mmCIF file of all heavy atoms in Angstrom:
data_model
loop_
_atom_site.group_PDB
_atom_site.id
_atom_site.type_symbol
_atom_site.label_atom_id
_atom_site.label_comp_id
_atom_site.label_asym_id
_atom_site.label_seq_id
_atom_site.Cartn_x
_atom_site.Cartn_y
_atom_site.Cartn_z
ATOM 1 N N CYS Z 754 -71.679 -148.867 -21.742
ATOM 2 C CA CYS Z 754 -71.247 -148.672 -23.128
ATOM 3 C C CYS Z 754 -70.742 -150.015 -23.757
ATOM 4 O O CYS Z 754 -71.048 -150.283 -24.917
ATOM 5 C CB CYS Z 754 -70.120 -147.645 -23.250
ATOM 6 S SG CYS Z 754 -70.610 -145.951 -22.771
ATOM 7 N N ILE Z 755 -70.004 -150.750 -22.961
ATOM 8 C CA ILE Z 755 -69.508 -152.089 -23.459
ATOM 9 C C ILE Z 755 -70.674 -152.983 -23.660
ATOM 10 O O ILE Z 755 -70.773 -153.764 -24.673
ATOM 11 C CB ILE Z 755 -68.502 -152.666 -22.430
ATOM 12 C CG1 ILE Z 755 -67.216 -151.790 -22.381
ATOM 13 C CG2 ILE Z 755 -68.147 -154.062 -22.820
ATOM 14 C CD1 ILE Z 755 -66.303 -152.132 -21.250
ATOM 15 N N ALA Z 756 -71.636 -153.018 -22.726
ATOM 16 C CA ALA Z 756 -72.806 -153.907 -22.881
ATOM 17 C C ALA Z 756 -73.596 -153.504 -24.081
ATOM 18 O O ALA Z 756 -74.074 -154.406 -24.844
ATOM 19 C CB ALA Z 756 -73.702 -153.762 -21.623
ATOM 20 N N ARG Z 757 -73.733 -152.203 -24.391
ATOM 21 C CA ARG Z 757 -74.484 -151.766 -25.583
ATOM 22 C C ARG Z 757 -73.766 -152.295 -26.843
ATOM 23 O O ARG Z 757 -74.430 -152.742 -27.834
ATOM 24 C CB ARG Z 757 -74.516 -150.246 -25.595
ATOM 25 C CG ARG Z 757 -75.169 -149.676 -26.841
ATOM 26 C CD ARG Z 757 -75.295 -148.145 -26.774
ATOM 27 N NE ARG Z 757 -73.942 -147.523 -26.630
ATOM 28 C CZ ARG Z 757 -73.848 -146.179 -26.515
ATOM 29 N NH1 ARG Z 757 -74.845 -145.397 -26.522
ATOM 30 N NH2 ARG Z 757 -72.625 -145.669 -26.373
ATOM 31 N N ALA Z 758 -72.436 -152.191 -26.898
ATOM 32 C CA ALA Z 758 -71.700 -152.645 -28.052
ATOM 33 C C ALA Z 758 -71.810 -154.174 -28.270
ATOM 34 O O ALA Z 758 -71.904 -154.679 -29.418
ATOM 35 C CB ALA Z 758 -70.224 -152.219 -27.952
ATOM 36 N N LEU Z 759 -71.800 -154.930 -27.160
ATOM 37 C CA LEU Z 759 -71.762 -156.424 -27.276
ATOM 38 C C LEU Z 759 -73.174 -156.981 -27.402
ATOM 39 O O LEU Z 759 -73.281 -158.191 -27.666
ATOM 40 C CB LEU Z 759 -71.089 -156.967 -26.034
ATOM 41 C CG LEU Z 759 -69.607 -156.547 -25.790
ATOM 42 C CD1 LEU Z 759 -69.000 -157.318 -24.649
ATOM 43 C CD2 LEU Z 759 -68.788 -156.682 -27.042
ATOM 44 N N ALA Z 760 -74.197 -156.188 -27.184
ATOM 45 C CA ALA Z 760 -75.569 -156.723 -27.186
ATOM 46 C C ALA Z 760 -75.969 -157.284 -28.563
ATOM 47 O O ALA Z 760 -76.861 -158.161 -28.685
ATOM 48 C CB ALA Z 760 -76.554 -155.681 -26.760
ATOM 49 N N VAL Z 761 -75.327 -156.779 -29.636
ATOM 50 C CA VAL Z 761 -75.671 -157.222 -30.980
ATOM 51 C C VAL Z 761 -74.767 -158.362 -31.505
ATOM 52 O O VAL Z 761 -74.712 -158.658 -32.702
ATOM 53 C CB VAL Z 761 -75.649 -156.051 -32.002
ATOM 54 C CG1 VAL Z 761 -76.747 -155.055 -31.703
ATOM 55 C CG2 VAL Z 761 -74.256 -155.330 -31.971
ATOM 56 N N ASN Z 762 -73.915 -158.901 -30.592
ATOM 57 C CA ASN Z 762 -73.044 -160.065 -30.892
ATOM 58 C C ASN Z 762 -72.076 -159.700 -31.996
ATOM 59 O O ASN Z 762 -72.016 -160.430 -33.072
ATOM 60 C CB ASN Z 762 -73.849 -161.309 -31.267
ATOM 61 C CG ASN Z 762 -74.765 -161.770 -30.146
ATOM 62 O OD1 ASN Z 762 -74.418 -161.671 -28.985
ATOM 63 N ND2 ASN Z 762 -75.936 -162.266 -30.491
ATOM 64 N N PRO Z 763 -71.216 -158.656 -31.850
ATOM 65 C CA PRO Z 763 -70.305 -158.276 -32.884
ATOM 66 C C PRO Z 763 -69.153 -159.258 -32.974
ATOM 67 O O PRO Z 763 -68.849 -160.018 -32.091
ATOM 68 C CB PRO Z 763 -69.868 -156.883 -32.454
ATOM 69 C CG PRO Z 763 -69.854 -156.955 -30.929
ATOM 70 C CD PRO Z 763 -71.040 -157.857 -30.644
ATOM 71 N N LYS Z 764 -68.410 -159.082 -34.144
ATOM 72 C CA LYS Z 764 -67.166 -159.869 -34.338
ATOM 73 C C LYS Z 764 -65.941 -158.902 -34.090
ATOM 74 O O LYS Z 764 -64.922 -159.344 -33.574
ATOM 75 C CB LYS Z 764 -67.124 -160.384 -35.778
ATOM 76 C CG LYS Z 764 -68.151 -161.381 -36.136
ATOM 77 C CD LYS Z 764 -68.071 -161.752 -37.597
ATOM 78 C CE LYS Z 764 -69.169 -162.752 -38.004
ATOM 79 N NZ LYS Z 764 -69.129 -163.082 -39.434
ATOM 80 N N LEU Z 765 -66.102 -157.651 -34.462
ATOM 81 C CA LEU Z 765 -65.064 -156.648 -34.321
ATOM 82 C C LEU Z 765 -65.546 -155.479 -33.440
ATOM 83 O O LEU Z 765 -66.622 -154.993 -33.614
ATOM 84 C CB LEU Z 765 -64.651 -156.105 -35.677
ATOM 85 C CG LEU Z 765 -63.651 -154.940 -35.679
ATOM 86 C CD1 LEU Z 765 -62.264 -155.425 -35.272
ATOM 87 C CD2 LEU Z 765 -63.584 -154.315 -37.062
ATOM 88 N N VAL Z 766 -64.649 -155.111 -32.473
ATOM 89 C CA VAL Z 766 -64.996 -153.914 -31.603
ATOM 90 C C VAL Z 766 -63.828 -152.937 -31.691
ATOM 91 O O VAL Z 766 -62.671 -153.341 -31.413
ATOM 92 C CB VAL Z 766 -65.228 -154.341 -30.144
ATOM 93 C CG1 VAL Z 766 -65.537 -153.113 -29.322
ATOM 94 C CG2 VAL Z 766 -66.347 -155.372 -30.069
ATOM 95 N N ILE Z 767 -64.109 -151.710 -32.086
ATOM 96 C CA ILE Z 767 -63.120 -150.658 -32.044
ATOM 97 C C ILE Z 767 -63.227 -149.970 -30.732
ATOM 98 O O ILE Z 767 -64.214 -149.399 -30.338
ATOM 99 C CB ILE Z 767 -63.377 -149.618 -33.141
ATOM 100 C CG1 ILE Z 767 -63.480 -150.239 -34.512
ATOM 101 C CG2 ILE Z 767 -62.273 -148.520 -33.168
ATOM 102 C CD1 ILE Z 767 -62.224 -150.722 -35.151
ATOM 103 N N CYS Z 768 -62.179 -150.103 -29.878
ATOM 104 C CA CYS Z 768 -62.131 -149.496 -28.496
ATOM 105 C C CYS Z 768 -61.367 -148.226 -28.625
ATOM 106 O O CYS Z 768 -60.076 -148.213 -28.643
ATOM 107 C CB CYS Z 768 -61.489 -150.457 -27.538
ATOM 108 S SG CYS Z 768 -62.254 -152.082 -27.437
ATOM 109 N N ASP Z 769 -62.015 -147.082 -28.702
ATOM 110 C CA ASP Z 769 -61.409 -145.770 -28.839
ATOM 111 C C ASP Z 769 -61.068 -145.161 -27.457
ATOM 112 O O ASP Z 769 -61.872 -144.441 -26.885
ATOM 113 C CB ASP Z 769 -62.255 -144.846 -29.656
ATOM 114 C CG ASP Z 769 -61.601 -143.517 -29.988
ATOM 115 O OD1 ASP Z 769 -60.347 -143.390 -29.728
ATOM 116 O OD2 ASP Z 769 -62.231 -142.587 -30.532
ATOM 117 N N GLU Z 770 -59.900 -145.483 -26.923
ATOM 118 C CA GLU Z 770 -59.462 -145.037 -25.604
ATOM 119 C C GLU Z 770 -60.554 -145.235 -24.566
ATOM 120 O O GLU Z 770 -60.964 -144.266 -23.935
ATOM 121 C CB GLU Z 770 -59.041 -143.555 -25.675
ATOM 122 C CG GLU Z 770 -57.907 -143.297 -26.687
ATOM 123 C CD GLU Z 770 -57.209 -141.971 -26.502
ATOM 124 O OE1 GLU Z 770 -56.988 -141.601 -25.366
ATOM 125 O OE2 GLU Z 770 -56.940 -141.290 -27.527
ATOM 126 N N PRO Z 771 -60.981 -146.463 -24.340
ATOM 127 C CA PRO Z 771 -62.116 -146.710 -23.517
ATOM 128 C C PRO Z 771 -61.888 -146.503 -21.998
ATOM 129 O O PRO Z 771 -62.796 -146.452 -21.229
ATOM 130 C CB PRO Z 771 -62.463 -148.149 -23.783
ATOM 131 C CG PRO Z 771 -61.132 -148.784 -24.133
ATOM 132 C CD PRO Z 771 -60.406 -147.683 -24.959
ATOM 133 N N VAL Z 772 -60.593 -146.340 -21.596
ATOM 134 C CA VAL Z 772 -60.335 -146.153 -20.190
ATOM 135 C C VAL Z 772 -59.589 -144.868 -19.868
ATOM 136 O O VAL Z 772 -59.280 -144.657 -18.664
ATOM 137 C CB VAL Z 772 -59.490 -147.395 -19.693
ATOM 138 C CG1 VAL Z 772 -60.231 -148.657 -19.779
ATOM 139 C CG2 VAL Z 772 -58.128 -147.480 -20.395
ATOM 140 N N SER Z 773 -59.427 -144.014 -20.842
ATOM 141 C CA SER Z 773 -58.646 -142.805 -20.628
ATOM 142 C C SER Z 773 -59.350 -141.820 -19.639
ATOM 143 O O SER Z 773 -58.677 -141.019 -18.990
ATOM 144 C CB SER Z 773 -58.344 -142.101 -21.960
ATOM 145 O OG SER Z 773 -59.551 -141.700 -22.525
ATOM 146 N N ALA Z 774 -60.660 -141.857 -19.568
ATOM 147 C CA ALA Z 774 -61.438 -140.932 -18.715
ATOM 148 C C ALA Z 774 -61.684 -141.516 -17.325
ATOM 149 O O ALA Z 774 -62.457 -140.939 -16.556
ATOM 150 C CB ALA Z 774 -62.738 -140.556 -19.372
ATOM 151 N N LEU Z 775 -61.104 -142.693 -16.985
ATOM 152 C CA LEU Z 775 -61.417 -143.390 -15.754
ATOM 153 C C LEU Z 775 -60.198 -143.392 -14.805
ATOM 154 O O LEU Z 775 -59.088 -143.178 -15.227
ATOM 155 C CB LEU Z 775 -61.835 -144.826 -16.072
ATOM 156 C CG LEU Z 775 -62.956 -144.998 -17.098
ATOM 157 C CD1 LEU Z 775 -63.161 -146.526 -17.325
ATOM 158 C CD2 LEU Z 775 -64.251 -144.401 -16.607
ATOM 159 N N ASP Z 776 -60.501 -143.564 -13.516
ATOM 160 C CA ASP Z 776 -59.431 -143.701 -12.548
ATOM 161 C C ASP Z 776 -58.640 -144.994 -12.799
ATOM 162 O O ASP Z 776 -59.106 -145.907 -13.411
ATOM 163 C CB ASP Z 776 -60.009 -143.755 -11.114
ATOM 164 C CG ASP Z 776 -60.696 -142.441 -10.726
ATOM 165 O OD1 ASP Z 776 -60.279 -141.432 -11.308
ATOM 166 O OD2 ASP Z 776 -61.606 -142.444 -9.934
ATOM 167 N N VAL Z 777 -57.415 -145.033 -12.232
ATOM 168 C CA VAL Z 777 -56.524 -146.155 -12.501
ATOM 169 C C VAL Z 777 -57.122 -147.468 -12.047
ATOM 170 O O VAL Z 777 -57.057 -148.488 -12.729
ATOM 171 C CB VAL Z 777 -55.140 -145.945 -11.862
ATOM 172 C CG1 VAL Z 777 -54.236 -147.158 -12.022
ATOM 173 C CG2 VAL Z 777 -54.426 -144.697 -12.409
ATOM 174 N N SER Z 778 -57.717 -147.511 -10.869
ATOM 175 C CA SER Z 778 -58.267 -148.743 -10.337
ATOM 176 C C SER Z 778 -59.433 -149.217 -11.199
ATOM 177 O O SER Z 778 -59.578 -150.442 -11.391
ATOM 178 C CB SER Z 778 -58.724 -148.531 -8.893
ATOM 179 O OG SER Z 778 -59.715 -147.538 -8.849
ATOM 180 N N ILE Z 779 -60.209 -148.252 -11.678
ATOM 181 C CA ILE Z 779 -61.363 -148.630 -12.571
ATOM 182 C C ILE Z 779 -60.850 -149.078 -13.921
ATOM 183 O O ILE Z 779 -61.444 -149.956 -14.530
ATOM 184 C CB ILE Z 779 -62.326 -147.413 -12.685
ATOM 185 C CG1 ILE Z 779 -62.772 -146.935 -11.337
ATOM 186 C CG2 ILE Z 779 -63.522 -147.811 -13.525
ATOM 187 C CD1 ILE Z 779 -63.484 -147.946 -10.485
ATOM 188 N N GLN Z 780 -59.732 -148.453 -14.402
ATOM 189 C CA GLN Z 780 -59.171 -148.855 -15.683
ATOM 190 C C GLN Z 780 -58.847 -150.329 -15.660
ATOM 191 O O GLN Z 780 -59.152 -151.067 -16.636
ATOM 192 C CB GLN Z 780 -57.927 -148.062 -15.922
ATOM 193 C CG GLN Z 780 -58.091 -146.599 -16.330
ATOM 194 C CD GLN Z 780 -56.861 -145.931 -16.714
ATOM 195 O OE1 GLN Z 780 -55.776 -146.555 -16.860
ATOM 196 N NE2 GLN Z 780 -56.898 -144.607 -16.841
ATOM 197 N N ALA Z 781 -58.226 -150.811 -14.575
ATOM 198 C CA ALA Z 781 -57.853 -152.236 -14.482
ATOM 199 C C ALA Z 781 -59.106 -153.109 -14.578
ATOM 200 O O ALA Z 781 -59.065 -154.168 -15.247
ATOM 201 C CB ALA Z 781 -57.132 -152.469 -13.158
ATOM 202 N N GLN Z 782 -60.190 -152.709 -13.887
ATOM 203 C CA GLN Z 782 -61.404 -153.505 -14.002
ATOM 204 C C GLN Z 782 -61.975 -153.628 -15.413
ATOM 205 O O GLN Z 782 -62.364 -154.695 -15.801
ATOM 206 C CB GLN Z 782 -62.490 -152.885 -13.043
ATOM 207 C CG GLN Z 782 -62.136 -152.913 -11.555
ATOM 208 C CD GLN Z 782 -63.191 -152.208 -10.712
ATOM 209 O OE1 GLN Z 782 -64.283 -151.989 -11.150
ATOM 210 N NE2 GLN Z 782 -62.815 -151.840 -9.525
ATOM 211 N N ILE Z 783 -61.997 -152.466 -16.084
ATOM 212 C CA ILE Z 783 -62.541 -152.426 -17.461
ATOM 213 C C ILE Z 783 -61.648 -153.247 -18.432
ATOM 214 O O ILE Z 783 -62.132 -154.029 -19.286
ATOM 215 C CB ILE Z 783 -62.665 -151.036 -17.957
ATOM 216 C CG1 ILE Z 783 -63.636 -150.212 -17.086
ATOM 217 C CG2 ILE Z 783 -63.119 -150.972 -19.421
ATOM 218 C CD1 ILE Z 783 -65.061 -150.836 -17.070
ATOM 219 N N ILE Z 784 -60.323 -153.135 -18.269
ATOM 220 C CA ILE Z 784 -59.400 -153.888 -19.158
ATOM 221 C C ILE Z 784 -59.561 -155.398 -18.889
ATOM 222 O O ILE Z 784 -59.609 -156.186 -19.858
ATOM 223 C CB ILE Z 784 -57.943 -153.467 -18.901
ATOM 224 C CG1 ILE Z 784 -57.731 -152.015 -19.358
ATOM 225 C CG2 ILE Z 784 -56.983 -154.353 -19.629
ATOM 226 C CD1 ILE Z 784 -58.034 -151.751 -20.815
ATOM 227 N N ASN Z 785 -59.688 -155.782 -17.632
ATOM 228 C CA ASN Z 785 -59.860 -157.228 -17.327
ATOM 229 C C ASN Z 785 -61.186 -157.698 -17.864
ATOM 230 O O ASN Z 785 -61.312 -158.848 -18.362
ATOM 231 C CB ASN Z 785 -59.807 -157.458 -15.805
ATOM 232 C CG ASN Z 785 -58.360 -157.336 -15.280
ATOM 233 O OD1 ASN Z 785 -57.390 -157.604 -15.993
ATOM 234 N ND2 ASN Z 785 -58.217 -156.859 -14.031
ATOM 235 N N LEU Z 786 -62.205 -156.815 -17.803
ATOM 236 C CA LEU Z 786 -63.511 -157.224 -18.333
ATOM 237 C C LEU Z 786 -63.449 -157.420 -19.841
ATOM 238 O O LEU Z 786 -63.959 -158.385 -20.387
ATOM 239 C CB LEU Z 786 -64.566 -156.080 -18.056
ATOM 240 C CG LEU Z 786 -65.945 -156.243 -18.648
ATOM 241 C CD1 LEU Z 786 -66.631 -157.514 -18.129
ATOM 242 C CD2 LEU Z 786 -66.823 -155.022 -18.383
ATOM 243 N N LEU Z 787 -62.768 -156.521 -20.552
ATOM 244 C CA LEU Z 787 -62.625 -156.643 -22.015
ATOM 245 C C LEU Z 787 -61.879 -157.962 -22.376
ATOM 246 O O LEU Z 787 -62.276 -158.600 -23.361
ATOM 247 C CB LEU Z 787 -61.871 -155.458 -22.557
ATOM 248 C CG LEU Z 787 -62.628 -154.088 -22.597
ATOM 249 C CD1 LEU Z 787 -61.657 -152.957 -22.946
ATOM 250 C CD2 LEU Z 787 -63.794 -154.142 -23.583
ATOM 251 N N LYS Z 788 -60.835 -158.273 -21.617
ATOM 252 C CA LYS Z 788 -60.145 -159.548 -21.884
ATOM 253 C C LYS Z 788 -60.958 -160.751 -21.689
ATOM 254 O O LYS Z 788 -60.966 -161.725 -22.382
ATOM 255 C CB LYS Z 788 -58.842 -159.622 -21.068
ATOM 256 C CG LYS Z 788 -57.777 -158.629 -21.494
ATOM 257 C CD LYS Z 788 -56.410 -159.117 -21.015
ATOM 258 C CE LYS Z 788 -55.829 -160.189 -21.851
ATOM 259 N NZ LYS Z 788 -54.470 -160.538 -21.611
ATOM 260 N N GLN Z 789 -61.773 -160.659 -20.575
ATOM 261 C CA GLN Z 789 -62.622 -161.822 -20.273
ATOM 262 C C GLN Z 789 -63.686 -162.022 -21.342
ATOM 263 O O GLN Z 789 -63.948 -163.142 -21.779
ATOM 264 C CB GLN Z 789 -63.326 -161.529 -18.893
ATOM 265 C CG GLN Z 789 -64.291 -162.600 -18.444
ATOM 266 C CD GLN Z 789 -65.058 -162.161 -17.217
ATOM 267 O OE1 GLN Z 789 -64.589 -161.385 -16.378
ATOM 268 N NE2 GLN Z 789 -66.212 -162.745 -17.068
ATOM 269 N N LEU Z 790 -64.298 -160.912 -21.794
ATOM 270 C CA LEU Z 790 -65.332 -160.983 -22.831
ATOM 271 C C LEU Z 790 -64.718 -161.475 -24.153
ATOM 272 O O LEU Z 790 -65.399 -162.166 -24.886
ATOM 273 C CB LEU Z 790 -66.011 -159.598 -22.993
ATOM 274 C CG LEU Z 790 -66.829 -159.129 -21.802
ATOM 275 C CD1 LEU Z 790 -67.244 -157.645 -21.974
ATOM 276 C CD2 LEU Z 790 -68.066 -159.977 -21.633
ATOM 277 N N GLN Z 791 -63.518 -161.081 -24.452
ATOM 278 C CA GLN Z 791 -62.856 -161.565 -25.629
ATOM 279 C C GLN Z 791 -62.651 -163.033 -25.646
ATOM 280 O O GLN Z 791 -62.916 -163.693 -26.662
ATOM 281 C CB GLN Z 791 -61.503 -160.857 -25.830
ATOM 282 C CG GLN Z 791 -60.788 -161.182 -27.100
ATOM 283 C CD GLN Z 791 -59.464 -160.434 -27.230
ATOM 284 O OE1 GLN Z 791 -58.650 -160.314 -26.316
ATOM 285 N NE2 GLN Z 791 -59.202 -159.974 -28.451
ATOM 286 N N ASN Z 792 -62.256 -163.582 -24.476
ATOM 287 C CA ASN Z 792 -62.091 -165.025 -24.345
ATOM 288 C C ASN Z 792 -63.381 -165.770 -24.474
ATOM 289 O O ASN Z 792 -63.522 -166.824 -25.050
ATOM 290 C CB ASN Z 792 -61.429 -165.324 -23.051
ATOM 291 C CG ASN Z 792 -59.972 -164.830 -22.974
ATOM 292 O OD1 ASN Z 792 -59.332 -164.703 -24.018
ATOM 293 N ND2 ASN Z 792 -59.526 -164.564 -21.754
ATOM 294 N N GLU Z 793 -64.471 -165.185 -23.878
ATOM 295 C CA GLU Z 793 -65.790 -165.876 -23.867
ATOM 296 C C GLU Z 793 -66.514 -165.770 -25.192
ATOM 297 O O GLU Z 793 -67.202 -166.718 -25.576
ATOM 298 C CB GLU Z 793 -66.678 -165.252 -22.771
ATOM 299 C CG GLU Z 793 -66.151 -165.539 -21.387
ATOM 300 C CD GLU Z 793 -67.028 -164.833 -20.345
ATOM 301 O OE1 GLU Z 793 -67.985 -164.126 -20.701
ATOM 302 O OE2 GLU Z 793 -66.723 -165.022 -19.131
ATOM 303 N N MET Z 794 -66.345 -164.606 -25.896
ATOM 304 C CA MET Z 794 -67.143 -164.361 -27.121
ATOM 305 C C MET Z 794 -66.327 -164.443 -28.361
ATOM 306 O O MET Z 794 -66.831 -164.246 -29.509
ATOM 307 C CB MET Z 794 -67.857 -163.028 -27.033
ATOM 308 C CG MET Z 794 -68.757 -162.901 -25.793
ATOM 309 S SD MET Z 794 -69.524 -161.264 -25.630
ATOM 310 C CE MET Z 794 -70.631 -161.198 -27.070
ATOM 311 N N GLY Z 795 -64.969 -164.606 -28.273
ATOM 312 C CA GLY Z 795 -64.150 -164.684 -29.472
ATOM 313 C C GLY Z 795 -63.985 -163.340 -30.178
ATOM 314 O O GLY Z 795 -63.938 -163.299 -31.428
ATOM 315 N N LEU Z 796 -64.037 -162.210 -29.458
ATOM 316 C CA LEU Z 796 -64.055 -160.914 -30.054
ATOM 317 C C LEU Z 796 -62.684 -160.510 -30.599
ATOM 318 O O LEU Z 796 -61.637 -160.977 -30.134
ATOM 319 C CB LEU Z 796 -64.470 -159.882 -29.039
ATOM 320 C CG LEU Z 796 -65.865 -160.015 -28.406
ATOM 321 C CD1 LEU Z 796 -66.043 -159.081 -27.249
ATOM 322 C CD2 LEU Z 796 -66.920 -159.757 -29.427
ATOM 323 N N THR Z 797 -62.686 -159.634 -31.607
ATOM 324 C CA THR Z 797 -61.470 -159.035 -32.139
ATOM 325 C C THR Z 797 -61.489 -157.556 -31.818
ATOM 326 O O THR Z 797 -62.472 -156.891 -32.110
ATOM 327 C CB THR Z 797 -61.396 -159.298 -33.718
ATOM 328 O OG1 THR Z 797 -61.465 -160.626 -33.975
ATOM 329 C CG2 THR Z 797 -60.108 -158.670 -34.237
ATOM 330 N N TYR Z 798 -60.366 -157.065 -31.281
ATOM 331 C CA TYR Z 798 -60.329 -155.682 -30.874
ATOM 332 C C TYR Z 798 -59.288 -154.843 -31.657
ATOM 333 O O TYR Z 798 -58.223 -155.361 -31.974
ATOM 334 C CB TYR Z 798 -59.892 -155.565 -29.394
ATOM 335 C CG TYR Z 798 -60.864 -156.050 -28.366
ATOM 336 C CD1 TYR Z 798 -60.420 -156.669 -27.220
ATOM 337 C CD2 TYR Z 798 -62.271 -155.911 -28.568
ATOM 338 C CE1 TYR Z 798 -61.353 -157.136 -26.207
ATOM 339 C CE2 TYR Z 798 -63.153 -156.378 -27.560
ATOM 340 C CZ TYR Z 798 -62.693 -156.973 -26.372
ATOM 341 O OH TYR Z 798 -63.534 -157.428 -25.476
ATOM 342 N N VAL Z 799 -59.687 -153.639 -32.000
ATOM 343 C CA VAL Z 799 -58.719 -152.601 -32.410
ATOM 344 C C VAL Z 799 -58.715 -151.654 -31.215
ATOM 345 O O VAL Z 799 -59.705 -150.866 -31.012
ATOM 346 C CB VAL Z 799 -59.130 -151.901 -33.701
ATOM 347 C CG1 VAL Z 799 -58.118 -150.761 -34.003
ATOM 348 C CG2 VAL Z 799 -59.155 -152.892 -34.870
#
């Protein structure tokens, strides 16, 4: 889902509870991924 959203090179991404349906260990991976992509691509998150 994240790859689909970022494939069009967006400036703004609305993250609507993206980790609420995941296990705690997986949540940490997704959150770290979002932070890493933000630093690399200059993304703005809500």
Side-chain angles (χ1 to χ4, degrees):
C754 293
I755 294 170
R757 175 177 60 181
L759 302 187
V761 292
N762 300 324
K764 297 176 182 177
L765 172 70
V766 181
I767 307 286
C768 304
D769 187 7
E770 302 196 42
V772 296
S773 63
L775 307 177
D776 295 334
V777 176
S778 59
I779 306 301
Q780 286 184 11
Q782 294 176 20
I783 298 299
I784 293 300
N785 288 329
L786 174 63
L787 289 171
K788 288 203 75 171
Q789 178 188 336
L790 293 170
Q791 184 178 42
N792 294 332
E793 292 176 359
M794 302 177 68
L796 300 169
T797 303
Y798 292 146
V799 176

